[in-house]
Amino acid sequence: MSSHDSTGDLFAPAQRATRPGKVPLAERMRPRSFDDLVGQDEVVGPGRPLRNAIERDQLSSVIFWGPPGCGKTTLAGLVAQHTESQFVPFSAVTGGIPELREIIKAAEHRRAMGRATTLFVDEIHRFNKAQQDAFLPHVERGTVVLIGATTENPSFELIAPLLSRSIVVLLKPLTEESLGSILDRAVADSERGLGSLRITLHPAARERLIAFGNGDARSLLTTVEFVVGQAPVGPDGSRIIDERVLEAALLKKALRYDKSGEEHYNLVSAYIKSLRDSDPDGALYWLARMLEGGENPRFIARRMVIFASEDIGNADPMALVMANAVAQAVEFVGLPEAQINLAHGTTYLASRPKDNASYVGLQEAVRDARQHGNLGVPLHLRNAVTSLMKDIGYGKGYRYVHDDPAAKTDQNHLPEPLRGTRYYRPRTP
């Protein structure tokens, strides 16, 4: 049996079940064992290394990385059940370094007495880099086994020394099948769930609730609990959940989108790649996702202007004109109508031929500029603005193309070490 601090009631399932009317449904339905766990089979399915390590109480420091509601805290709770060490939960949102120092001090005392400490830090990315340094010596010495949970990419948010001392476990959004199982269990469970309320859930409403969950079990169960609470109660005490009840209870479900986090970069990356692959349907979908998530339309317009030159270039010079027109329209019109301008520009850019020769040529020229340093401008290309400059050869031998059309191809315009180099290689139709 594992040991817990008084602050660790989050991980005491027996206590959770005693007050079903006082605790949110998502918390009441939290799995009590691996047999109750739905989803993440690739990581903690039967026989998987992580599950074996947890069940054998052999887990080393680990970072659980995944979106909200995918099971990070639940897995920490299962670790708490299987470890013989003192399990101490700690939130980076509500706690700070002074509290952490007290936890470490207690862990050092336990270690001197021959007992181990497992420290669970929720939202570990909330600590800045300097604060994360506070973990390092204690993780390295084995004072604590660290379990961190984060919704943000650890390679961006956690310091490298901490990552090198931990195993990073990627948890994925729950599938619709997994969410369906969780929903059905919550509706049927009379002890911890909503089974005593005699709910009839129509198939179409069930599908919409799963879609509302968006891979997030906590969001799904919170939504279900709210909808059931708003549903009319029939004469026999039953509640029918159909699409009409859903429409009345849920006017709109906001999509998960963190404009400063990884999802921001994931969506814009998918948008740009759809444009590049000439797929207007994919581009419109990712545009819609960004707009529904509250992305600044100026950001999208700026990316369109960049794309017009980077990926279309001279294959269609009007693309840059169009992208700039969209950017101007966004400023002039504003949301929500500016969405139409963005869609117009998106489908145009996706449909045009692609040629990145200008961008590639610039990259190669920059590479040579850095590699060769400050190569001198050939004398014939320099302006002789003084008599001294003329005397030492500035401008000597320059051929004026309007008087000598052959100069266009015969005259060298690069430093001597780069003579003959071709940077711009446009695609031929």
Side-chain angles (χ1 to χ4, degrees):
M1 181 64 66
S2 61
S3 178
H4 305 274
D5 281 350
S6 61
T7 58
D9 59 349
L10 172 66
F11 302 99
Q15 187 176 1
R16 283 203 307 270
T18 61
R19 304 172 61 208
K22 302 293 184 179
V23 180
L25 177 64
E27 183 63 23
R28 302 200 309 267
M29 295 302 299
R30 193 181 295 279
R32 298 174 174 176
S33 68
F34 278 112
D35 292 335
D36 290 340
L37 188 64
V38 177
Q40 309 300 348
D41 288 343
E42 294 180 3
V43 176
V44 288
R48 302 303 296 174
L50 179 62
R51 177 163 171 177
N52 290 340
I54 293 174
E55 291 180 330
R56 296 169 184 170
D57 193 11
Q58 297 174 343
L59 189 66
S60 57
S61 292
V62 63
I63 303 296
F64 293 136
W65 168 33
C70 68
K72 300 184 296 296
T73 304
T74 291
L75 281 177
L78 294 177
V79 172
Q81 293 183 34
H82 287 88
T83 183
E84 293 297 325
S85 66
Q86 185 79 25
F87 191 93
V88 183
F90 178 73
S91 173
V93 177
T94 59
I97 293 298
E99 183 180 352
L100 180 61
R101 289 197 184 102
E102 291 299 316
I103 292 173
I104 295 299
K105 183 177 179 181
E108 290 173 338
H109 177 71
R110 288 190 206 99
R111 189 182 183 200
M113 302 294 291
R115 297 181 58 203
T117 301
T118 298
L119 174 62
F120 171 60
V121 182
D122 198 14
E123 306 271 9
I124 192 171
H125 61 274
R126 303 271 186 162
F127 281 133
N128 61 38
K129 309 302 186 191
Q131 290 172 321
Q132 291 175 32
D133 280 330
F135 291 111
L136 287 178
H138 311 295
V139 172
E140 196 165 44
R141 290 197 298 264
T143 306
V144 297
V145 172
L146 174 66
I147 301 178
T150 177
T151 57
E152 301 297 327
N153 190 326
S155 60
F156 296 154
E157 302 297 333
L158 301 185
I159 58 176
L162 190 58
L163 286 177
S164 70
R165 291 162 174 79
S166 307
I167 299 170
V168 176
V169 176
L170 174 61
L171 303 178
K172 299 177 181 178
L174 295 177
T175 65
E176 291 191 353
E177 180 181 1
S178 295
L179 288 179
S181 298
I182 292 170
L183 173 58
D184 295 340
R185 180 183 297 175
V187 170
D189 191 324
S190 297
E191 178 191 357
R192 296 186 291 155
L194 305 171
S196 61
L197 299 181
R198 302 176 61 188
I199 297 168
T200 299
L201 182 59
H202 284 202
R206 179 180 181 273
E207 289 183 9
R208 288 193 62 186
L209 283 168
I210 292 172
F212 283 145
N214 196 28
D216 182 336
R218 186 187 302 109
S219 175
L220 169 67
L221 293 175
T222 300
T223 301
V224 170
E225 187 170 32
F226 177 77
V227 169
V228 170
Q230 303 302 309
V233 181
D236 60 350
S238 64
R239 306 178 193 222
I240 297 175
I241 309 298
D242 55 18
E243 289 192 276
R244 180 183 59 83
V245 172
L246 283 185
E247 291 289 349
L250 301 173
L251 298 180
K252 183 177 180 181
K253 174 67 176 180
L255 295 175
R256 182 174 66 246
Y257 186 64
D258 180 358
K259 289 185 284 184
S260 63
E262 186 194 4
E263 193 68 0
H264 162 81
Y265 298 103
N266 289 341
L267 293 191
V268 73
S269 175
Y271 173 69
I272 293 298
K273 288 180 172 64
S274 299
L275 292 178
R276 184 175 295 136
D277 292 343
S278 298
D279 181 2
D281 301 304
L284 283 174
Y285 172 77
W286 297 116
L287 172 66
R289 282 285 301 276
M290 288 189 288
L291 291 171
E292 284 295 297
E295 182 58 79
N296 188 332
R298 292 178 177 176
F299 170 77
I300 302 172
R302 283 196 296 270
R303 293 308 301 259
M304 293 171 70
V305 172
I306 296 168
F307 178 88
S309 288
E310 178 181 343
D311 286 279
I312 297 178
N314 290 323
D316 178 9
M318 282 298 297
L320 183 57
V321 177
M322 168 64 83
N324 273 291
V326 170
Q328 183 178 4
V330 165
E331 296 293 336
F332 181 69
V333 177
L335 292 177
E337 290 85 353
Q339 296 181 78
I340 305 170
N341 306 117
L342 290 168
H344 180 185
T346 292
T347 53
Y348 181 90
L349 296 178
S351 302
R352 303 315 298 154
K354 307 300 188 291
D355 187 352
N356 67 345
S358 298
Y359 179 52
V360 170
L362 174 63
Q363 289 180 309
E364 293 177 357
V366 168
R367 178 200 62 200
D368 282 347
R370 291 173 178 171
Q371 179 179 344
H372 294 281
N374 296 323
L375 294 176
V377 176
L379 287 176
H380 69 280
L381 296 181
R382 302 186 188 188
N383 278 338
V385 295
T386 69
S387 58
L388 175 61
M389 290 178 176
K390 185 174 182 180
D391 289 342
I392 62 177
Y394 278 41
K396 184 178 181 180
Y398 174 69
R399 295 157 62 183
Y400 189 49
V401 73
H402 297 291
D403 296 334
D404 182 3
K408 176 180 178 181
T409 55
D410 294 346
Q411 189 162 236
N412 175 46
H413 300 94
L414 289 169
E416 194 60 34
L418 300 176
R419 178 187 286 268
T421 302
R422 288 193 60 198
Y423 296 117
Y424 181 56
R425 301 180 296 275
R427 296 176 183 175
T428 56

